[in-house]
C-alpha cells in the first residue's frame, strides 16, 4: 500500500473529544513527499485537530497515522520527524532570535559548532541574519513568523506543519509571505502541510488541497481541479464564488442531458448539457461568475441565455461585481472587467442585460 | 455612570472612608512608632522623647544582629522548601482538568478559614512527643516488631523512641512552610495558568523532553510569578512571630519575637519601634531589588 513516495498516510482516523464532539470523522489521506498540501475548511471543521494529531499533541481515537512509513501511535511529539509552526508562532520571549532557532538543536545534543552554522543558514533562508541578537518583542509580526519558520526548518524535518501561519498578518504582508513560503518550500524540498480557512491562500500556494467540513474530508484535488470540478455543493460554494441553482433531470436525448431549472423555466424550458454521470434526479446546477458572458443584445449564438435585470453593482477597482435577476427569479453574480476608465458607466441598477454561458462550463452536482 | 471617576464629588465621597481608615489606623500609628524609635525608655518603661539614634545602634549590636541573621536564614530555608513543595503543586493545579482546578485551589486556601493560632496548636498536637506523628510511628514500629518477632528476630526493632519534633528550629520551619505555602502557590499558579500553552508544545515539538521544557521554558516564563511567590513567602516568614513562639525552642527566637518582647515583657517601646523599622527597611530593600531586576530590559525576571 505504501509507495515510497508517500510521506504521510492518514488511515480511517477519527478523533472524538468526550462522547459528543467528533472533531475528525473517519479521514483517510495520503500526502506525498515534497508536496505542498493544504487543509482547507471553515472554522471548527477539524483542521487544527488533524494537524495536531500529525504533530503528536492529540492522539487519534481510531485509525492510524504513518509518517515516512512508521506508525506514530504512542510516539511523543519530541520524537516525531515533523515540526510545527504555531498559529501564535510561540517564539520563546525569553530567548533571542538566535537562541530560539538554536533551541531545537541544543536540546537534541547537536555539537556547538554545527549549531551555529545551521542557525545562520536557517536564518538566512528567512532573511533574518541581521536580527539574530534581538528579542522577539523587538520584532514585527512578520519577522516573528519567520523566526518560527526558521526554528522549525533548522531541524530539517520530514514534514513541516503550519497552522494558519499567515492569519495574523495584514493583507499585503500575507500575499508576500504566501509567495515566499512557496519559494521556500520548493528550495528546501520539505513536505509542507498547511492549515488555512482562506481559500485564496490554499489555491495560490498548495499543490493539493483537502477540503474539510465538520470533520469530513469532502474532496482532495489540485487547486484548478477543485475550482473547476468541485465534487459536491459544499465545495462548489466554499471555493470561490458560485451561482447555484436547484434542478431536476428531465431526460436524456442524443447523449445530452436535459435539466429543468424552475427559475429558468419561463425563458428556457430545459438546459441541454453534455453527458454527466451525476445527472440523476435532483441535482445542483452551478456556474462560476467569471464564466458568465454579459451582452446588451440577445446573444443569438449562445444556447444557454437568459434576460436579466441588474439589481446591484459593486465596484472593486479592477473589476465590478454585478448582481442580476431574471424574470423567473433566478439570481446571478457576474464579473465585469473595467478595461478602460469609462467603460460600463451605463451599467447601473435596473438596466436590462443578457447573461449566457457555455453548456460545458456548467457544473452538475449530485445533491 | 462610566465617568464616575470624573465626578469629583462622588469620587471624594467614595474615597474618603478608606482614606480616613488608612490614615487613622495605619499611617498615624506608623508615624508615632517612627518617632518612638528615636526616643528613650524611661526607668518604668515610659517613653522619653529624647531624639537620638541609640535604639538603632543597639539594634545592630552583635546579639541582635545574630537574631536578624537567623531570621533571614530561617526565612531562606523556609522559602526554599516552600518552593520545592509549592512549585509542583502550582503546576499540578494549572495543568489539572478544568473541573478539578477550583476544588484544588479551594483546598489550597482552605486553611485560611481557620485561625492561625488554632492551626499552630494543631501542629503542636501533631508534632509533640506524645503527638499524632509519634503515635503513628510507634504503631508502625510495634507492627514491625511483632512481624519480625514472628519470624524469629524479636530484638531487631528495639524499643521505640519518640522523635523530638517540637520546640526546635525544624518545627519552626515545618510550621512556616505550612503557613506560607498558599502565598507562594497562588502567584505561581496564576502565571502558569496564564501562560500560552503553545510555548510548551513548541518546546516538545522541537525535540525537548518534559524536564528540559520545564527548566528551559516553563520556569523562565513563570519567573515573575515565582519571584513574587518566593518573595512573599520570604518576607512573611522573616517577620513572623507566632510560629517560632509556639513551635520553636529557646534558640528559635526570630526578629518578630524580639520585637514582640519589647512591646510586652521588656516594656521597651522605643527599641521595639526601632527594630520594627529596621525590618521594614529590610523589606523595602528586598522589594526594591526585585523591582529594579524586573524593570531591567533584558533582566532575568
Ligand atoms: N480539546 C478539545 N476539547 C473539546 N473539543 C475540542 C477540543 N479541540 C477542538 N475541539 C472541537 O473540535 C472541533 C474542531 O476543532 P479544530 O480546532 O480542529 O477546528 P479548526 O478547523 O482548526 O477551526 P479554526 O479554523 O476555527 O481554527 C471544534 O468543534 C472544537 O470545538
Ligand atoms: Mg484551527
Amino acid at each position: 500500500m505504501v509507495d515510497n513516495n508517500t510521506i504521510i498516510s492518514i488511515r480511517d482516523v477519527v478523533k472524538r473529544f468526550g462522547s459528543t464532539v467528533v472533531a475528525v470523522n473517519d479521514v483517510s489521506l495520503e500526502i506525498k513527499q515534497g508536496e505542498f498540501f493544504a487543509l482547507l475548511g471553515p472554522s471548527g471543521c477539524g483542521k487544527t485537530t488533524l494537524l495536531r494529531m500529525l504533530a503528536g499533541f492529540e492522539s487519534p481515537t481510531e485509525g492510524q497515522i504513518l509518517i515516512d512509513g512508521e506508525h506514530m501511535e504512542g510516539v511523543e511529539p519530541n520524537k516525531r520527524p515533523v515540526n510545527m509552526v504555531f498559529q501564535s508562532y510561540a517564539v520563546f520571549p525569553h530567548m533571542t532570535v538566535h537562541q530560539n532557532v538554536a533551541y531545537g538543536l541544543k536540546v537534541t545534543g547537536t555539537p556547538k559548532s554545527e549549531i551555529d552554522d545551521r542557525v545562520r543558514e536557517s536564518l538566512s533562508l528567512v532573511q533574518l541574519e541581521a536580527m539574530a541578537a534581538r528579542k522577539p518583542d523587538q520584532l514585527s509580526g512578520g519577522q516573528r513568523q519567520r523566526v518560527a519558520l526558521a526554528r522549525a526548518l533548522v531541524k530539517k524535518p520530514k514534514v513541516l506543519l503550519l497552522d494558519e501561519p499567515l492569519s495574523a498578518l495584514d493583507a499585503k504582508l500575507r500575499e508576500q509571505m504566501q509567495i515566499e513560503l512557496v519559494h521556500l518550500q520548493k528550495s528546501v524540498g520539505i513536505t509542507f502541510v498547511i492549515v488555512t480557512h482562506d481559500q485564496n491562500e490554499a489555491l495560490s500556494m498548495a499543490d493539493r488541497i483537502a477540503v474539510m467540513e465538520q470533520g469530513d474530508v469532502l474532496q482532495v484535488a489540485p487547486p484548478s481541479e477543485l475550482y473547476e470540478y468541485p465534487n459536491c455543493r459544499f465545495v462548489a460554494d466554499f471555493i470561490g464564488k458560485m451561482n447555484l441553482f436547484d434542478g431536476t433531470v428531465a431526460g436524456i436525448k442524443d447523449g445530452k442531458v436535459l435539466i429543468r431549472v424552475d427559475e429558468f423555466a419561463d425563458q428556457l424550458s430545459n438546459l441541454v448539457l453534455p453527458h454527466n454521470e451525476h445527472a440523476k434526479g435532483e441535482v445542483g446546477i452551478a456556474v462560476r461568475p467569471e464564466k458568465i458572458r454579459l451582452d446588451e443584445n440577445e446573444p443569438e449564438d449562445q444556447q444557454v441565455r437568459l434576460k436579466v435585470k441588474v439589481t446591484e453593482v459593486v465596484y472593486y477597482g479592477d473589476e465590478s461585481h454585478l448582481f442580476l435577476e431574471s424574470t423567473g427569479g433566478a439570481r446571478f453574480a457576474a464579473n465585469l472587467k473595467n478595461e478602460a476608465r469609462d467603460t460600463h458607466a451605463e451599467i447601473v441598477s435596473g438596466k436590462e442585460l443578457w447573461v449566457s454561458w457555455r453548456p460545458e462550463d456548467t457544473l452538475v452536482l449530485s445533491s | 455612570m462610566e465617568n464616575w471617576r470624573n465626578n469629583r464629588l462622588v469620587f471624594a465621597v467614595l474615597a474618603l472612608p478608606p482614606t480616613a481608615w488608612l490614615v487613622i489606623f495605619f499611617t498615624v500609628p506608623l508615624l508615632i512608632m517612627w518617632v518612638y524609635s528615636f526616643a528613650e525608655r524611661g526607668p518604668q518603661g515610659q517613653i522619653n522623647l529624647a531624639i537620638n539614634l541609640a535604639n538603632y545602634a543597639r539594634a545592630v549590636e552583635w546579639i541582635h544582629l545574630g537574631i536578624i541573621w537567623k531570621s533571614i536564614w530561617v526565612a531562606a530555608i523556609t522559602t526554599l522548601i516552600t518552593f520545592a513543595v509549592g512549585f509542583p503543586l502550582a503546576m499540578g493545579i494549572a495543568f489539572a482538568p478544568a473541573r478539578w482546578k477550583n476544588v484544588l485551589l479551594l483546598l489550597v486556601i482552605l486553611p485560611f478559614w481557620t485561625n492561625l493560632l488554632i492551626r499552630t496548636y494543631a501542629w503542636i498536637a501533631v508534632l509533640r512527643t506524645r503527638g499524632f506523628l509519634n503515635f503513628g510511628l510507634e504503631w508502625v514500629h510495634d507492627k514491625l516488631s511483632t512481624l519480625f518477632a514472628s519470624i524469629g528476630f524479636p530484638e531487631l526493632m528495639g524499643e521505640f523512641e519518640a522523635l523530638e519534633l517540637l520546640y526546635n528550629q525544624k518545627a519552626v520551619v515545618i510550621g512556616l512552610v505550612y503557613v506560607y505555602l498558599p502565598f507562594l502557590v497562588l502567584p505561581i499558579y496564576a502565571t502558569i495558568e496564564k501562560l500560552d500553552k503553545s510555548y510548551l508544545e513548541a518546546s516538545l515539538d522541537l525535540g525537548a523532553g518534559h524536564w528540559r521544557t520545564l527548566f528551559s521554558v516553563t520556569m523562565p516564563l513563570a519567573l515573575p510569578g515565582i519571584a513574587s511567590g518566593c518573595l512573599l513567602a520570604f518576607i512573611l516568614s522573616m517577620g513572623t512571630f507566632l510560629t517560632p513562639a509556639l513551635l520553636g525552642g529557646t534558640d528559635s527566637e526570630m526578629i518578630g519575637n524580639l520585637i514582640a518582647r519589647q512591646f510586652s515583657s521588656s516594656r521597651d517601646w522605643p527599641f521595639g519601634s526601632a527594630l520594627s523599622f529596621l525590618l521594614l527597611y529590610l523589606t523595602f530593600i528586598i522589594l526594591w531589588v526585585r523591582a529594579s531586576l524586573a524593570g531591567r530590559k533584558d533582566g532575568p525576571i
Side-chain angles (χ1 to χ4, degrees):
Chain A
M1 263 280 289
V2 184
D3 68 84
N4 42 16
N5 221 352
T6 303
I7 189 84
I8 294 180
S9 296
I10 299 169
R11 296 180 183 164
D12 310 315
V13 164
V14 177
K15 177 67 188 178
R16 290 192 203 94
F17 291 107
S19 54
T20 47
V21 183
V22 183
V24 172
N25 186 16
D26 199 9
V27 164
S28 295
L29 280 176
E30 301 268 307
I31 297 172
K32 294 196 210 78
Q33 166 64 44
E35 201 172 25
F36 200 129
F37 193 90
L39 293 168
L40 174 64
S43 187
C45 69
K47 312 178 291 286
T48 299
T49 307
L50 192 56
L51 202 71
R52 288 172 60 81
M53 286 194 281
L54 295 178
F57 297 122
E58 310 279 359
S59 48
T61 315
E62 287 167 30
Q64 295 140 11
I65 291 173
L66 280 79
I67 298 177
D68 202 21
E70 309 233 2
H71 278 273
M72 283 296 125
E73 193 178 335
V75 180
E76 292 274 308
N78 53 351
K79 301 276 185 269
R80 295 193 179 202
V82 302
N83 283 106
M84 183 142 164
V85 174
F86 290 80
Q87 186 167 4
S88 57
Y89 310 151
V91 173
F92 303 129
H94 59 297
M95 298 182 193
T96 62
V97 169
H98 185 281
Q99 287 167 335
N100 260 286
V101 178
Y103 182 79
L105 298 176
K106 230 166 85 184
V107 296
T108 44
T110 314
K112 181 95 178 60
S113 53
E114 193 189 330
I115 292 183
D116 281 341
D117 287 345
R118 278 173 69 178
V119 169
R120 214 169 305 122
E121 188 189 335
S122 188
L123 283 177
S124 79
L125 214 53
V126 295
Q127 292 134 42
L128 273 186
E129 306 105 305
M131 314 261 169
R134 290 209 196 171
K135 282 278 183 77
D137 60 1
Q138 298 164 307
L139 299 176
S140 71
Q143 289 166 339
R144 240 172 290 172
Q145 139 117 86
R146 286 158 202 256
V147 176
L149 261 172
R151 187 175 69 174
L153 285 173
V154 81
K155 299 274 296 175
K156 303 203 163 98
K158 290 187 175 136
V159 180
L160 187 70
L161 308 170
L162 305 103
D163 190 2
E164 312 224 9
L166 307 179
S167 64
L169 306 179
D170 63 66
K172 261 242 157 64
L173 191 55
R174 184 153 64 219
E175 210 162 293
Q176 182 195 333
M177 279 307 291
Q178 282 173 11
I179 297 167
E180 279 188 31
L181 267 181
V182 172
H183 283 302
L184 192 64
Q185 194 262 340
K186 297 300 169 221
S187 70
V188 296
I190 293 172
T191 310
F192 277 31
V193 179
I194 187 172
V195 156
T196 175
H197 61 253
D198 180 342
Q199 37 142 331
N200 290 328
E201 203 166 285
L203 290 174
S204 63
M205 295 166 81
D207 297 322
R208 274 196 315 150
I209 301 171
V211 180
M212 292 185 69
E213 192 224 4
Q214 295 199 356
D216 290 309
V217 169
L218 300 179
Q219 186 172 8
V220 186
S224 59
E225 190 184 325
L226 207 61
Y227 187 81
E228 301 295 356
Y229 302 98
N231 67 358
C232 64
R233 269 187 107 114
F234 180 86
V235 175
D237 206 23
F238 187 72
I239 308 280
K241 298 218 168 54
M242 190 62 99
N243 295 300
L244 265 169
F245 307 96
D246 292 317
T248 320
V249 176
I252 293 178
K253 203 173 91 186
D254 308 335
K256 306 254 179 192
V257 197
L258 307 183
I259 295 174
R260 185 187 153 82
V261 176
D262 287 342
E263 293 135 306
F264 300 171
D266 62 325
Q267 299 188 47
L268 260 176
S269 54
N270 280 318
L271 281 177
V272 181
L273 301 180
H275 174 73
N276 188 304
E277 73 234 48
H278 299 301
K280 280 182 213 81
E282 305 280 313
V283 290
I285 295 299
V287 57
R288 295 272 181 207
E290 74 278 4
K291 308 278 193 288
I292 289 181
R293 196 176 116 186
L294 293 163
D295 289 283
E296 300 221 13
N297 304 311
E298 183 164 6
E300 308 275 356
D301 56 327
Q302 293 280 32
Q303 183 232 337
V304 181
R305 57 175 189 269
L306 289 161
K307 192 174 182 184
V308 293
K309 214 179 234 173
V310 177
T311 56
E312 207 171 326
V313 181
V314 183
Y315 180 73
Y316 282 102
D318 57 342
E319 55 180 36
S320 296
H321 292 180
L322 265 54
F323 294 90
L324 314 141
E325 191 169 345
S326 77
T327 40
R331 291 160 189 272
F332 292 91
N335 300 346
L336 209 51
K337 283 253 172 296
N338 295 326
E339 292 124 336
R341 283 183 168 178
D342 49 3
T343 43
H344 314 316
E346 77 286 0
I347 295 184
V348 291
S349 295
K351 183 167 176 70
E352 295 203 333
L353 291 172
W354 284 85
V355 295
S356 59
W357 65 90
R358 301 190 311 161
E360 54 269 42
D361 287 336
T362 316
L363 279 161
V364 180
L365 305 163
S366 50
S367 296
Chain B
M1 272 309 280
E2 305 234 322
N3 285 336
W4 64 271
R5 275 169 215 268
N6 297 339
N7 188 331
R8 284 169 169 265
L9 186 69
V10 175
F11 188 71
V13 169
L14 285 175
L16 190 64
T19 312
W21 179 276
L22 277 177
V23 168
I24 295 169
F25 295 108
F26 184 73
T27 316
V28 170
L30 208 61
L31 273 175
I32 294 173
M33 294 266 290
W34 190 68
V35 173
Y36 279 2
S37 74
F38 299 104
E40 279 176 2
R41 177 188 189 270
Q44 272 83 47
Q46 67 272 59
I47 292 142
N48 296 335
L49 286 178
I51 304 301
N52 59 44
L53 290 171
N55 290 317
Y56 288 96
R58 218 180 120 200
V60 295
E61 280 168 12
W62 280 116
I63 173 155
H64 299 128
L65 272 186
I67 292 178
I68 293 174
W69 175 243
K70 194 180 352 160
S71 305
I72 293 176
W73 184 234
V74 168
I77 302 254
T78 301
T79 307
L80 212 68
I81 298 176
T82 313
F83 178 72
V85 178
F87 185 78
L89 189 59
M91 285 267 293
I93 300 174
F95 289 105
R99 65 207 144 94
W100 283 106
K101 254 180 216 177
N102 284 333
V103 178
L104 291 171
L105 276 178
L106 194 71
L107 286 177
V108 169
I109 54 171
L110 200 63
F112 287 132
W113 293 3
T114 314
N115 184 288
L116 176 58
L117 195 61
I118 295 170
R119 285 185 282 141
T120 310
Y121 274 118
W123 272 108
I124 295 179
V126 172
L127 295 177
R128 68 183 163 199
T129 322
R130 307 216 32 84
F132 297 124
L133 200 61
N134 273 319
F135 282 152
L137 289 174
E138 190 174 6
W139 185 81
V140 173
H141 181 272
D142 287 350
K143 290 288 165 221
L144 284 178
S145 293
T146 357
L147 181 72
F148 286 129
S150 70
I151 55 172
F153 303 100
E155 299 307 316
L156 190 70
M157 293 298 289
E159 274 296 296
F160 176 74
E161 275 179 48
L163 296 177
E164 288 300 331
L165 296 167
L166 198 56
Y167 305 127
N168 54 34
Q169 211 69 272
K170 268 180 254 129
V172 175
V173 172
I174 292 174
L176 289 178
V177 168
Y178 161 74
V179 175
Y180 297 121
L181 189 66
F183 292 93
L184 181 130
V185 169
L186 293 179
I188 297 182
Y189 162 76
T191 34
I192 296 181
E193 171 68 29
K194 273 200 308 254
L195 209 104
D196 184 350
K197 300 296 179 291
S198 53
Y199 289 128
L200 313 189
E201 289 184 344
S203 173
L204 290 177
D205 186 70
L206 291 167
H210 288 279
W211 288 106
R212 182 69 197 229
T213 301
L214 177 69
F215 288 112
S216 297
V217 178
T218 317
M219 279 176 67
L221 291 179
L223 209 54
I226 293 175
S228 302
C230 287
L231 268 179
L232 214 54
F234 182 79
I235 289 170
L236 290 173
S237 44
M238 196 169 70
T240 193
F241 94 100
L242 187 68
T243 313
L246 292 184
L247 303 182
T250 43
D251 67 334
S252 303
E253 187 173 53
M254 290 172 67
I255 184 166
N257 307 100
L258 185 62
I259 293 171
R261 188 143 52 79
Q262 305 313 315
F263 288 96
S264 54
S265 57
S266 296
R267 299 232 290 147
D268 192 347
W269 285 37
F271 183 49
S273 303
L275 282 171
S276 302
F277 269 90
L278 221 54
L279 185 61
L280 201 63
Y281 296 144
L282 209 58
T283 309
F284 280 150
I285 289 170
I286 295 168
L287 289 176
W288 173 77
V289 168
R290 144 111 171 110
S292 50
L293 279 181
R296 234 169 54 196
K297 190 83 189 106
D298 44 11
I301 296 175

